[in-house]
Amino acid sequence: MSSRSSASRVRRVIAALPRSAAAWVLGLVAVGWSVPLILALNASVKSEAEFTATSVWEPPQNFTLANFIQSFIYMEFPLKVANSLVISFGALALSLVIAIPVAYAITIGRHRWRTFVLATCVVIFLMPQEAFAYPIFLVAKLVHMYGNVIFLIFPLGLSGAAFATFLLGMVMSRFPTSVVDAAEIDGASRWQTLTRVVLPMMTPSIVVVGLLLFIANWNEYLLTLLLLPDSSSMTVPLAVSMFNYGQMGGPPTTIVAAASILGAIPSLIVFLLFHRSLTRGITAGAID
Amino acid sequence: MYPGFLVLVAFAVTMLVWNGALSFTSFPGFGQAKWVGVKNYNSLLDNPDFWESLLHSTFYIIPMALIPTALAVFGAVAIFDAFRGRLARSFFPWVRGAFYLPQVIPIAIAGTIWGWMLSRDGLLNQILRGLGAVNPTTNWLATPISALVSVSLFMVWLQFGFSFVIFLAGLSRLDPATVEAASLDGANWWQRFCFIALPSLRPEVIVVLIITAIAGFKVFAPVVYLTMGGPRGSTASVSSFAIDSFFGGGSIGRGSAATTLLAIAIGVVAVVIAVLFVRVTRRDGGLSGDGS
């Protein structure tokens, strides 16, 4: 290897690096932003003895998964995941089932009440959930579904529907009328236009909205806190926060850290999938 | 249209039911089945804890809306400007992801981790020890002022990513030729920022500020999961105060009064926004499917 080619290779690498200081600063800040998670991760793989002996920065000498196993079992993790999945998917399905036809009707369908509907949706999703919380609690008791995971699908699904209608309305309003007109000329009914023409073309946007709803439902804090008192029906985030208060003075930090990481993993998985769709969704919107 | 219409009616009816239930809650004394008229509202307004929580809620607009949005605008423009070159490009999604991550993690978990970081043997104290400070053993969440500051920092950490991602997307609308022309004309970074980037981000900034300001005013989870309302209520927001009244203090009527007031305040703002929004969309040619 001649010195000339290695020198030019080095030069190429240097030329490819971000030039301004701002980029480096931001990069470092980004790393710093993740510090809480990195530290939790670090703590979760240390044994308790090692954790108290070392500083939070040092990587573990004896990597251990015992904390994960312990919190996994103690939290009945699979059960909590199942609860969270049921609620998140159920609510998201309900939201989409309501939102898609409504968004279609008010944009492409040019329904008379479109501005009213959209305005109402905006008002609803800006409202504080706390105002609805107690009545929802009472309804739950009334129908004897207090503590039941299924019940949560309804309030979450409905408030999600407001949000979804708004977002989907925004996207649908950019839908090319030429395609709709062509379908109508071909004799399609409104319903057929929706299902056979619009929906297939809108799938990426629907996926993005669905993902946003899923994440919001999964991370939901207020209603799950109020409506799920038994540990057997708790969702994952709820279970993790309860974990902290579980025992006398709280369980060892290493276990709490492991529990937190476990609880965050499903969200992270969704996020990794979400990342690409988010980009696609945003750039698709920007291209219009 | 008609399927949509029917579903819409079902939705509106359900919404009305919730609203009915909501006005239900302003029946003071409902939990104890005693109608006490406006007594709950009166006692609420006389309650110093309520006013303190109201003060906090208003204050929280700063770390939830103003600070993250301002930082995000600068950050988005800086990063957009600076990340050129192939190596840098591949870092770009990671940086964006790192900042957005706090929005993705369940807030209960984020709160747990931060609570641990700020505790006596947590990260912050370890850093301070490393920097040479005499052994600090404060639990940063135990004193009113430091708790408030900690909660605010937590909120900034949480909210930065939201605005950041939105502004980044907005900036991709910007024509690089304009920016090039400006820098050729001799505009420095600050001028390019003020006169090109900032104006083009105006719609996003407005939307983000509105959403985050309202979120800040009605904030509940960051407060509860970090401090449970703080040492003797010093970090409580109106929402956490209200929920506390419902399920902690046993005073249902007081909680309903507080949430109703919150709802009315936000409702008024929301309706104003909705009206403005309607006017803007009407002016832009309406919502009919006219994307071609």
Side-chain angles (χ1 to χ4, degrees), chain A residues 39-97:
Chain A
L39 287 179
L41 191 61
N42 199 21
S44 60
V45 289
K46 288 185 187 172
S47 73
E48 193 188 342
E50 196 189 341
F51 180 71
T52 40
T54 59
S55 87
V56 286
W57 295 107
E58 292 170 36
Q61 303 282 41
N62 304 314
F63 187 91
T64 171
L65 288 176
N67 298 321
F68 282 105
I69 298 178
Q70 254 196 301
S71 41
F72 188 89
I73 296 176
Y74 186 73
M75 271 203 298
E76 295 172 320
F77 197 65
L79 176 63
K80 306 296 159 51
V81 170
N83 288 335
S84 281
L85 280 176
V86 166
I87 294 178
S88 301
F89 270 118
L92 128 71
L94 181 61
S95 297
L96 286 179
V97 162

Short mmCIF file of all heavy atoms in Angstrom, two decimals, chain A residues 39-97:
data_model
loop_
_atom_site.label_atom_id
_atom_site.label_comp_id
_atom_site.label_asym_id
_atom_site.label_seq_id
_atom_site.Cartn_x
_atom_site.Cartn_y
_atom_site.Cartn_z
N LEU A 39 -27.01 4.61 31.59
CA LEU A 39 -26.66 4.27 32.96
C LEU A 39 -27.56 3.20 33.53
O LEU A 39 -27.11 2.31 34.26
CB LEU A 39 -26.76 5.52 33.83
CG LEU A 39 -25.64 6.51 33.61
CD1 LEU A 39 -25.86 7.70 34.51
CD2 LEU A 39 -24.31 5.87 33.91
N ALA A 40 -28.85 3.31 33.20
CA ALA A 40 -29.77 2.28 33.69
C ALA A 40 -29.35 0.94 33.14
O ALA A 40 -29.35 -0.08 33.84
CB ALA A 40 -31.19 2.63 33.30
N LEU A 41 -29.00 0.93 31.88
CA LEU A 41 -28.56 -0.31 31.24
C LEU A 41 -27.32 -0.84 31.94
O LEU A 41 -27.21 -2.03 32.25
CB LEU A 41 -28.27 -0.03 29.77
CG LEU A 41 -28.04 -1.24 28.89
CD1 LEU A 41 -29.27 -2.11 28.89
CD2 LEU A 41 -27.72 -0.80 27.48
N ASN A 42 -26.41 0.06 32.21
CA ASN A 42 -25.18 -0.33 32.88
C ASN A 42 -25.46 -0.94 34.24
O ASN A 42 -24.92 -1.98 34.61
CB ASN A 42 -24.29 0.91 33.02
CG ASN A 42 -22.85 0.55 33.27
OD1 ASN A 42 -22.42 -0.54 32.97
ND2 ASN A 42 -22.11 1.47 33.87
N ALA A 43 -26.33 -0.25 34.98
CA ALA A 43 -26.63 -0.73 36.33
C ALA A 43 -27.33 -2.07 36.29
O ALA A 43 -27.15 -2.91 37.17
CB ALA A 43 -27.50 0.29 37.06
N SER A 44 -28.11 -2.26 35.26
CA SER A 44 -28.94 -3.47 35.26
C SER A 44 -28.14 -4.73 35.04
O SER A 44 -28.60 -5.82 35.36
CB SER A 44 -30.03 -3.35 34.19
OG SER A 44 -29.41 -3.21 32.93
N VAL A 45 -26.93 -4.60 34.50
CA VAL A 45 -26.18 -5.83 34.28
C VAL A 45 -25.08 -6.05 35.31
O VAL A 45 -24.22 -6.89 35.15
CB VAL A 45 -25.57 -5.89 32.86
CG1 VAL A 45 -26.68 -6.09 31.84
CG2 VAL A 45 -24.78 -4.64 32.55
N LYS A 46 -25.12 -5.24 36.35
CA LYS A 46 -24.15 -5.46 37.43
C LYS A 46 -24.82 -6.20 38.56
O LYS A 46 -26.01 -6.04 38.79
CB LYS A 46 -23.66 -4.11 37.98
CG LYS A 46 -22.76 -3.33 37.07
CD LYS A 46 -22.29 -2.10 37.81
CE LYS A 46 -21.52 -1.18 36.90
NZ LYS A 46 -21.22 0.10 37.53
N SER A 47 -24.05 -6.95 39.29
CA SER A 47 -24.60 -7.54 40.49
C SER A 47 -24.70 -6.46 41.54
O SER A 47 -24.03 -5.44 41.46
CB SER A 47 -23.71 -8.67 41.00
OG SER A 47 -22.54 -8.11 41.58
N GLU A 48 -25.53 -6.68 42.52
CA GLU A 48 -25.76 -5.63 43.50
C GLU A 48 -24.49 -5.23 44.22
O GLU A 48 -24.21 -4.07 44.47
CB GLU A 48 -26.80 -6.10 44.52
CG GLU A 48 -27.30 -4.95 45.37
CD GLU A 48 -28.17 -5.44 46.48
OE1 GLU A 48 -28.64 -6.59 46.36
OE2 GLU A 48 -28.35 -4.71 47.45
N ALA A 49 -23.72 -6.21 44.58
CA ALA A 49 -22.48 -5.92 45.30
C ALA A 49 -21.57 -5.06 44.46
O ALA A 49 -21.01 -4.07 44.94
CB ALA A 49 -21.79 -7.24 45.65
N GLU A 50 -21.45 -5.43 43.20
CA GLU A 50 -20.56 -4.66 42.34
C GLU A 50 -21.09 -3.25 42.15
O GLU A 50 -20.34 -2.30 42.05
CB GLU A 50 -20.43 -5.36 40.98
CG GLU A 50 -19.25 -4.86 40.19
CD GLU A 50 -19.25 -5.40 38.78
OE1 GLU A 50 -19.94 -6.40 38.52
OE2 GLU A 50 -18.58 -4.80 37.93
N PHE A 51 -22.41 -3.12 42.08
CA PHE A 51 -23.00 -1.82 41.84
C PHE A 51 -22.67 -0.85 42.96
O PHE A 51 -22.30 0.29 42.73
CB PHE A 51 -24.51 -1.94 41.69
CG PHE A 51 -25.18 -0.63 41.44
CD1 PHE A 51 -25.02 0.01 40.23
CD2 PHE A 51 -25.94 -0.04 42.42
CE1 PHE A 51 -25.63 1.23 40.00
CE2 PHE A 51 -26.55 1.18 42.19
CZ PHE A 51 -26.39 1.80 40.98
N THR A 52 -22.82 -1.31 44.21
CA THR A 52 -22.54 -0.39 45.30
C THR A 52 -21.07 -0.08 45.40
O THR A 52 -20.66 0.97 45.87
CB THR A 52 -23.02 -0.96 46.64
OG1 THR A 52 -22.73 -2.35 46.68
CG2 THR A 52 -24.53 -0.77 46.78
N ALA A 53 -20.26 -1.01 44.90
CA ALA A 53 -18.81 -0.80 45.03
C ALA A 53 -18.26 0.11 43.96
O ALA A 53 -17.29 0.83 44.18
CB ALA A 53 -18.09 -2.15 45.00
N THR A 54 -18.85 0.08 42.78
CA THR A 54 -18.29 0.87 41.69
C THR A 54 -19.12 2.11 41.42
O THR A 54 -20.24 2.23 41.88
CB THR A 54 -18.24 0.04 40.40
OG1 THR A 54 -19.58 -0.36 40.09
CG2 THR A 54 -17.35 -1.16 40.55
N SER A 55 -18.54 3.00 40.62
CA SER A 55 -19.31 4.19 40.25
C SER A 55 -20.27 3.82 39.12
O SER A 55 -20.13 2.78 38.49
CB SER A 55 -18.38 5.31 39.79
OG SER A 55 -18.14 5.17 38.40
N VAL A 56 -21.21 4.69 38.87
CA VAL A 56 -22.21 4.35 37.86
C VAL A 56 -21.65 4.27 36.47
O VAL A 56 -22.24 3.69 35.58
CB VAL A 56 -23.38 5.36 37.84
CG1 VAL A 56 -24.26 5.17 39.03
CG2 VAL A 56 -22.85 6.76 37.79
N TRP A 57 -20.47 4.88 36.26
CA TRP A 57 -19.95 4.91 34.90
C TRP A 57 -19.25 3.63 34.50
O TRP A 57 -19.22 3.26 33.35
CB TRP A 57 -18.94 6.06 34.76
CG TRP A 57 -19.55 7.39 34.91
CD1 TRP A 57 -19.43 8.23 35.98
CD2 TRP A 57 -20.40 8.06 33.99
NE1 TRP A 57 -20.13 9.37 35.77
CE2 TRP A 57 -20.74 9.29 34.55
CE3 TRP A 57 -20.90 7.73 32.73
CZ2 TRP A 57 -21.55 10.20 33.90
CZ3 TRP A 57 -21.71 8.64 32.09
CH2 TRP A 57 -22.02 9.86 32.68
N GLU A 58 -18.61 2.98 35.49
CA GLU A 58 -17.78 1.84 35.10
C GLU A 58 -18.61 0.71 34.54
O GLU A 58 -19.61 0.32 35.11
CB GLU A 58 -17.00 1.34 36.31
CG GLU A 58 -15.94 2.31 36.78
CD GLU A 58 -15.37 1.88 38.11
OE1 GLU A 58 -15.23 0.65 38.31
OE2 GLU A 58 -15.10 2.75 38.95
N PRO A 59 -18.15 0.16 33.43
CA PRO A 59 -18.84 -1.02 32.91
C PRO A 59 -18.61 -2.20 33.84
O PRO A 59 -17.63 -2.22 34.60
CB PRO A 59 -18.18 -1.24 31.55
CG PRO A 59 -16.90 -0.51 31.60
CD PRO A 59 -17.02 0.58 32.60
N PRO A 60 -19.50 -3.14 33.80
CA PRO A 60 -19.42 -4.24 34.77
C PRO A 60 -18.26 -5.18 34.50
O PRO A 60 -17.95 -5.49 33.36
CB PRO A 60 -20.75 -4.97 34.59
CG PRO A 60 -21.15 -4.67 33.20
CD PRO A 60 -20.64 -3.29 32.90
N GLN A 61 -17.63 -5.62 35.56
CA GLN A 61 -16.59 -6.64 35.42
C GLN A 61 -17.25 -7.99 35.24
O GLN A 61 -16.85 -8.80 34.42
CB GLN A 61 -15.71 -6.66 36.67
CG GLN A 61 -15.06 -5.34 36.98
CD GLN A 61 -13.88 -5.08 36.08
OE1 GLN A 61 -13.92 -5.37 34.88
NE2 GLN A 61 -12.81 -4.54 36.66
N ASN A 62 -18.25 -8.21 36.07
CA ASN A 62 -18.97 -9.47 35.97
C ASN A 62 -20.37 -9.20 35.44
O ASN A 62 -21.29 -8.90 36.17
CB ASN A 62 -19.10 -10.14 37.34
CG ASN A 62 -17.72 -10.33 37.96
OD1 ASN A 62 -16.81 -10.78 37.30
ND2 ASN A 62 -17.60 -9.96 39.23
N PHE A 63 -20.47 -9.33 34.18
CA PHE A 63 -21.75 -9.10 33.49
C PHE A 63 -22.76 -10.13 33.98
O PHE A 63 -22.49 -11.32 33.96
CB PHE A 63 -21.47 -9.27 32.00
CG PHE A 63 -22.61 -8.92 31.12
CD1 PHE A 63 -22.75 -7.64 30.63
CD2 PHE A 63 -23.54 -9.87 30.75
CE1 PHE A 63 -23.77 -7.31 29.79
CE2 PHE A 63 -24.58 -9.54 29.91
CZ PHE A 63 -24.69 -8.26 29.42
N THR A 64 -23.89 -9.66 34.43
CA THR A 64 -24.85 -10.65 34.91
C THR A 64 -26.25 -10.35 34.40
O THR A 64 -26.65 -9.20 34.28
CB THR A 64 -24.89 -10.69 36.45
OG1 THR A 64 -25.98 -11.51 36.84
CG2 THR A 64 -25.13 -9.31 37.02
N LEU A 65 -26.97 -11.38 34.10
CA LEU A 65 -28.35 -11.20 33.66
C LEU A 65 -29.32 -11.53 34.78
O LEU A 65 -30.52 -11.54 34.58
CB LEU A 65 -28.65 -12.08 32.45
CG LEU A 65 -28.00 -11.62 31.14
CD1 LEU A 65 -28.29 -12.63 30.05
CD2 LEU A 65 -28.54 -10.26 30.73
N ALA A 66 -28.78 -11.77 35.96
CA ALA A 66 -29.63 -12.21 37.06
C ALA A 66 -30.70 -11.19 37.39
O ALA A 66 -31.84 -11.54 37.70
CB ALA A 66 -28.78 -12.50 38.30
N ASN A 67 -30.33 -9.90 37.31
CA ASN A 67 -31.31 -8.87 37.62
C ASN A 67 -32.50 -8.93 36.69
O ASN A 67 -33.64 -8.76 37.10
CB ASN A 67 -30.67 -7.47 37.52
CG ASN A 67 -29.56 -7.31 38.50
OD1 ASN A 67 -29.66 -7.78 39.63
ND2 ASN A 67 -28.50 -6.65 38.09
N PHE A 68 -32.18 -9.15 35.41
CA PHE A 68 -33.27 -9.21 34.44
C PHE A 68 -34.19 -10.38 34.75
O PHE A 68 -35.40 -10.28 34.70
CB PHE A 68 -32.71 -9.36 33.03
CG PHE A 68 -32.22 -8.06 32.47
CD1 PHE A 68 -30.87 -7.81 32.37
CD2 PHE A 68 -33.10 -7.08 32.07
CE1 PHE A 68 -30.40 -6.62 31.88
CE2 PHE A 68 -32.66 -5.88 31.57
CZ PHE A 68 -31.30 -5.65 31.47
N ILE A 69 -33.55 -11.50 35.03
CA ILE A 69 -34.35 -12.70 35.29
C ILE A 69 -35.23 -12.48 36.51
O ILE A 69 -36.41 -12.79 36.52
CB ILE A 69 -33.42 -13.92 35.48
CG1 ILE A 69 -32.63 -14.16 34.20
CG2 ILE A 69 -34.23 -15.15 35.85
CD1 ILE A 69 -31.65 -15.29 34.28
N GLN A 70 -34.61 -11.91 37.55
CA GLN A 70 -35.39 -11.69 38.76
C GLN A 70 -36.58 -10.76 38.53
O GLN A 70 -37.70 -11.06 38.95
CB GLN A 70 -34.48 -11.08 39.83
CG GLN A 70 -34.11 -12.05 40.91
CD GLN A 70 -33.55 -11.32 42.11
OE1 GLN A 70 -32.56 -10.62 41.99
NE2 GLN A 70 -34.21 -11.48 43.24
N SER A 71 -36.30 -9.63 37.87
CA SER A 71 -37.42 -8.70 37.69
C SER A 71 -38.42 -9.26 36.71
O SER A 71 -39.62 -9.03 36.83
CB SER A 71 -36.93 -7.32 37.25
OG SER A 71 -35.91 -7.41 36.33
N PHE A 72 -37.96 -10.01 35.74
CA PHE A 72 -38.85 -10.64 34.77
C PHE A 72 -39.87 -11.51 35.49
O PHE A 72 -41.06 -11.47 35.24
CB PHE A 72 -38.01 -11.47 33.81
CG PHE A 72 -38.76 -12.03 32.64
CD1 PHE A 72 -38.87 -11.29 31.48
CD2 PHE A 72 -39.35 -13.28 32.69
CE1 PHE A 72 -39.54 -11.81 30.39
CE2 PHE A 72 -40.02 -13.79 31.61
CZ PHE A 72 -40.12 -13.05 30.45
N ILE A 73 -39.35 -12.32 36.42
CA ILE A 73 -40.24 -13.25 37.12
C ILE A 73 -41.10 -12.49 38.11
O ILE A 73 -42.31 -12.68 38.17
CB ILE A 73 -39.41 -14.32 37.85
CG1 ILE A 73 -38.65 -15.15 36.82
CG2 ILE A 73 -40.30 -15.18 38.72
CD1 ILE A 73 -37.74 -16.17 37.43
N TYR A 74 -40.46 -11.61 38.85
CA TYR A 74 -41.22 -10.92 39.90
C TYR A 74 -42.35 -10.07 39.33
O TYR A 74 -43.42 -9.99 39.90
CB TYR A 74 -40.26 -10.03 40.71
CG TYR A 74 -40.90 -9.40 41.91
CD1 TYR A 74 -41.21 -10.16 43.03
CD2 TYR A 74 -41.24 -8.06 41.90
CE1 TYR A 74 -41.81 -9.58 44.12
CE2 TYR A 74 -41.84 -7.47 42.99
CZ TYR A 74 -42.13 -8.25 44.11
OH TYR A 74 -42.73 -7.67 45.19
N MET A 75 -42.09 -9.46 38.21
CA MET A 75 -43.10 -8.59 37.59
C MET A 75 -44.10 -9.37 36.78
O MET A 75 -45.05 -8.79 36.26
CB MET A 75 -42.42 -7.60 36.63
CG MET A 75 -41.98 -6.32 37.25
SD MET A 75 -41.83 -5.03 35.99
CE MET A 75 -40.57 -5.70 34.96
N GLU A 76 -43.89 -10.66 36.63
CA GLU A 76 -44.74 -11.44 35.73
C GLU A 76 -44.80 -10.75 34.39
O GLU A 76 -45.88 -10.39 33.89
CB GLU A 76 -46.14 -11.59 36.31
CG GLU A 76 -46.17 -12.38 37.58
CD GLU A 76 -47.55 -12.32 38.21
OE1 GLU A 76 -48.16 -11.23 38.17
OE2 GLU A 76 -48.00 -13.34 38.73
N PHE A 77 -43.63 -10.54 33.87
CA PHE A 77 -43.47 -9.71 32.69
C PHE A 77 -44.36 -10.11 31.50
O PHE A 77 -45.03 -9.27 30.92
CB PHE A 77 -42.01 -9.68 32.28
CG PHE A 77 -41.68 -8.56 31.34
CD1 PHE A 77 -41.79 -7.25 31.75
CD2 PHE A 77 -41.27 -8.82 30.05
CE1 PHE A 77 -41.49 -6.22 30.91
CE2 PHE A 77 -40.97 -7.78 29.19
CZ PHE A 77 -41.08 -6.49 29.61
N PRO A 78 -44.37 -11.40 31.15
CA PRO A 78 -45.20 -11.77 29.99
C PRO A 78 -46.66 -11.38 30.19
O PRO A 78 -47.31 -10.92 29.25
CB PRO A 78 -45.04 -13.28 29.90
CG PRO A 78 -43.80 -13.59 30.63
CD PRO A 78 -43.68 -12.57 31.71
N LEU A 79 -47.14 -11.52 31.42
CA LEU A 79 -48.53 -11.16 31.67
C LEU A 79 -48.75 -9.67 31.44
O LEU A 79 -49.72 -9.26 30.80
CB LEU A 79 -48.88 -11.52 33.13
CG LEU A 79 -50.28 -11.12 33.59
CD1 LEU A 79 -51.31 -11.85 32.77
CD2 LEU A 79 -50.44 -11.43 35.06
N LYS A 80 -47.81 -8.87 31.95
CA LYS A 80 -47.97 -7.43 31.79
C LYS A 80 -47.87 -7.03 30.32
O LYS A 80 -48.58 -6.14 29.85
CB LYS A 80 -46.89 -6.68 32.59
CG LYS A 80 -46.83 -7.07 34.05
CD LYS A 80 -48.12 -6.67 34.74
CE LYS A 80 -48.37 -7.44 36.03
NZ LYS A 80 -47.31 -7.47 36.98
N VAL A 81 -46.97 -7.70 29.60
CA VAL A 81 -46.85 -7.41 28.17
C VAL A 81 -48.16 -7.73 27.47
O VAL A 81 -48.65 -6.96 26.63
CB VAL A 81 -45.69 -8.20 27.52
CG1 VAL A 81 -45.74 -8.07 26.02
CG2 VAL A 81 -44.37 -7.69 28.05
N ALA A 82 -48.74 -8.86 27.83
CA ALA A 82 -50.02 -9.25 27.22
C ALA A 82 -51.07 -8.18 27.51
O ALA A 82 -51.80 -7.77 26.61
CB ALA A 82 -50.45 -10.61 27.74
N ASN A 83 -51.14 -7.74 28.75
CA ASN A 83 -52.10 -6.68 29.10
C ASN A 83 -51.90 -5.44 28.25
O ASN A 83 -52.83 -4.89 27.68
CB ASN A 83 -51.97 -6.29 30.57
CG ASN A 83 -52.48 -7.36 31.51
OD1 ASN A 83 -53.33 -8.15 31.13
ND2 ASN A 83 -51.97 -7.39 32.72
N SER A 84 -50.64 -5.02 28.21
CA SER A 84 -50.34 -3.81 27.44
C SER A 84 -50.70 -3.99 25.98
O SER A 84 -51.24 -3.08 25.36
CB SER A 84 -48.86 -3.47 27.57
OG SER A 84 -48.59 -2.83 28.78
N LEU A 85 -50.38 -5.16 25.42
CA LEU A 85 -50.67 -5.40 24.01
C LEU A 85 -52.17 -5.35 23.75
O LEU A 85 -52.62 -4.71 22.79
CB LEU A 85 -50.12 -6.76 23.57
CG LEU A 85 -48.63 -6.79 23.26
CD1 LEU A 85 -48.21 -8.21 22.94
CD2 LEU A 85 -48.31 -5.88 22.10
N VAL A 86 -52.94 -6.00 24.61
CA VAL A 86 -54.39 -6.01 24.43
C VAL A 86 -54.93 -4.59 24.41
O VAL A 86 -55.68 -4.19 23.52
CB VAL A 86 -55.06 -6.83 25.55
CG1 VAL A 86 -56.56 -6.56 25.56
CG2 VAL A 86 -54.79 -8.31 25.36
N ILE A 87 -54.52 -3.82 25.41
CA ILE A 87 -55.02 -2.46 25.50
C ILE A 87 -54.55 -1.62 24.31
O ILE A 87 -55.33 -0.92 23.67
CB ILE A 87 -54.56 -1.79 26.81
CG1 ILE A 87 -55.21 -2.51 27.98
CG2 ILE A 87 -54.91 -0.33 26.82
CD1 ILE A 87 -54.78 -1.98 29.31
N SER A 88 -53.26 -1.70 24.03
CA SER A 88 -52.72 -0.84 22.97
C SER A 88 -53.33 -1.16 21.62
O SER A 88 -53.76 -0.25 20.90
CB SER A 88 -51.20 -0.98 22.90
OG SER A 88 -50.64 -0.61 24.12
N PHE A 89 -53.37 -2.43 21.26
CA PHE A 89 -53.93 -2.78 19.96
C PHE A 89 -55.42 -2.56 19.91
O PHE A 89 -55.96 -2.07 18.91
CB PHE A 89 -53.63 -4.25 19.63
CG PHE A 89 -52.35 -4.43 18.89
CD1 PHE A 89 -51.31 -5.16 19.43
CD2 PHE A 89 -52.17 -3.83 17.66
CE1 PHE A 89 -50.12 -5.29 18.76
CE2 PHE A 89 -50.98 -3.97 16.98
CZ PHE A 89 -49.95 -4.70 17.52
N GLY A 90 -56.09 -2.94 20.97
CA GLY A 90 -57.54 -2.76 20.99
C GLY A 90 -57.91 -1.31 20.80
O GLY A 90 -58.75 -0.97 19.96
N ALA A 91 -57.27 -0.44 21.57
CA ALA A 91 -57.60 0.98 21.48
C ALA A 91 -57.24 1.54 20.11
O ALA A 91 -57.98 2.32 19.52
CB ALA A 91 -56.88 1.76 22.58
N LEU A 92 -56.08 1.11 19.62
CA LEU A 92 -55.65 1.61 18.32
C LEU A 92 -56.60 1.16 17.22
O LEU A 92 -56.97 1.94 16.33
CB LEU A 92 -54.21 1.17 18.08
CG LEU A 92 -53.71 0.46 16.84
CD1 LEU A 92 -53.71 1.37 15.66
CD2 LEU A 92 -52.30 0.01 17.08
N ALA A 93 -57.08 -0.09 17.31
CA ALA A 93 -58.04 -0.58 16.31
C ALA A 93 -59.32 0.23 16.38
O ALA A 93 -59.86 0.67 15.35
CB ALA A 93 -58.31 -2.06 16.55
N LEU A 94 -59.80 0.45 17.59
CA LEU A 94 -61.03 1.23 17.76
C LEU A 94 -60.86 2.63 17.18
O LEU A 94 -61.73 3.14 16.47
CB LEU A 94 -61.40 1.30 19.24
CG LEU A 94 -62.67 2.06 19.59
CD1 LEU A 94 -63.86 1.42 18.92
CD2 LEU A 94 -62.88 2.11 21.09
N SER A 95 -59.73 3.24 17.50
CA SER A 95 -59.48 4.59 17.00
C SER A 95 -59.50 4.63 15.49
O SER A 95 -60.12 5.50 14.89
CB SER A 95 -58.13 5.09 17.50
OG SER A 95 -58.10 5.19 18.88
N LEU A 96 -58.82 3.67 14.86
CA LEU A 96 -58.75 3.70 13.40
C LEU A 96 -60.10 3.42 12.77
O LEU A 96 -60.48 4.04 11.79
CB LEU A 96 -57.70 2.69 12.91
CG LEU A 96 -56.26 3.13 13.13
CD1 LEU A 96 -55.31 2.05 12.64
CD2 LEU A 96 -55.98 4.44 12.41
N VAL A 97 -60.82 2.46 13.37
CA VAL A 97 -62.15 2.13 12.83
C VAL A 97 -63.05 3.36 12.83
O VAL A 97 -63.82 3.59 11.91
CB VAL A 97 -62.78 0.98 13.64
CG1 VAL A 97 -64.27 0.90 13.41
CG2 VAL A 97 -62.12 -0.34 13.25
#
